[in-house]
Amino acid sequence: MEIERKFLINTLPDGLSKYPSDTIRQAYISTDPVIRVRQKSNDYILTIKSQGLLAREETELPLSEESFSHLLKKADGIPIEKVRYRIPDSHGYLIELDIFRGAYEGFIMAEVEFPSVEEALAYTPPAWFGKDVTDNPEFHNSRLSQRNKEEIFQFLNALPQ
């Protein structure tokens, strides 16, 4: 079970370069159900996710580089490229800060995973976090992949503050 909250980021934290990071490339074979292929450094992964916002089932299976390349050609939508920083927070959770590249250059979002729904709901994010978008399915990467950068930023500008 994946239990996570998602936040938009307006200001990057100080000292970002000191945190470990991975370059990620991913695409969606299907967005309903969500079937994703991902390259994270030298690892290749097929992921299947159930429906849901705060909590949903997630199954990951390893892929070979050849299988990843084959499936990537069958992707629906725009492939997503991002650098993911792993930042420990003061509550003992891990912040995954995604700085998007390529087709989504300039978009920044963070995810925080939790062991329980109760802990997720009780979480107080750091001051550098922006709007909580956990309950908005438009911020699932699978949905983002169906929009171009201009559409995403128009959508962001239309969000209530």
Side-chain angles (χ1 to χ4, degrees):
M1 175 73 65
E2 176 186 60
I3 302 167
E4 70 181 9
R5 288 181 58 189
K6 294 177 180 277
F7 299 87
L8 299 177
I9 302 298
N10 299 323
T11 305
L12 292 176
D14 292 333
L16 186 60
S17 62
K18 70 181 178 186
Y19 298 108
S21 66
D22 292 297
T23 299
I24 295 174
R25 181 170 56 143
Q26 65 189 40
Y28 293 85
I29 307 305
S30 171
T31 57
D32 189 19
V34 173
I35 302 173
R36 176 185 75 202
V37 292
R38 173 183 277 177
Q39 177 185 6
K40 181 177 169 186
S41 300
N42 292 322
D43 293 325
Y44 302 91
I45 306 158
L46 173 73
T47 304
I48 301 167
K49 296 186 178 203
S50 70
Q51 293 185 355
L53 296 172
L54 176 65
R56 59 188 179 159
E57 293 294 327
E58 178 180 88
T59 302
E60 293 188 336
L61 302 166
L63 287 174
S64 67
E65 182 177 2
E66 295 76 24
S67 294
F68 171 81
S69 296
H70 177 76
L71 290 169
L72 187 63
K73 294 174 190 167
K74 300 178 181 311
D76 180 26
I78 301 168
I80 292 175
E81 299 171 45
K82 57 190 175 181
V83 176
R84 172 168 284 171
Y85 291 88
R86 296 180 309 280
I87 305 168
D89 87 343
S90 61
H91 305 292
Y93 301 110
L94 183 66
I95 297 167
E96 293 180 325
L97 176 67
D98 290 339
I99 299 178
F100 289 73
R101 301 286 186 236
Y104 301 102
E105 185 79 35
F107 184 59
I108 305 170
M109 190 166 59
E111 300 175 352
V112 182
E113 288 196 27
F114 303 91
S116 71
V117 169
E118 294 76 23
E119 288 179 65
L121 295 174
Y123 180 68
T124 302
W128 54 272
F129 274 33
K131 184 172 181 59
D132 183 341
V133 292
T134 303
D135 292 330
N136 189 330
E138 297 304 317
F139 291 98
H140 283 187
N141 279 236
S142 59
R143 290 275 186 95
L144 293 174
S145 74
Q146 303 304 301
R147 293 196 161 122
N148 64 40
K149 178 179 164 179
E150 290 74 26
E151 292 170 323
I152 291 169
F153 282 96
Q154 285 174 357
F155 183 75
L156 286 171
N157 291 332
L159 285 175
Q161 298 301 320

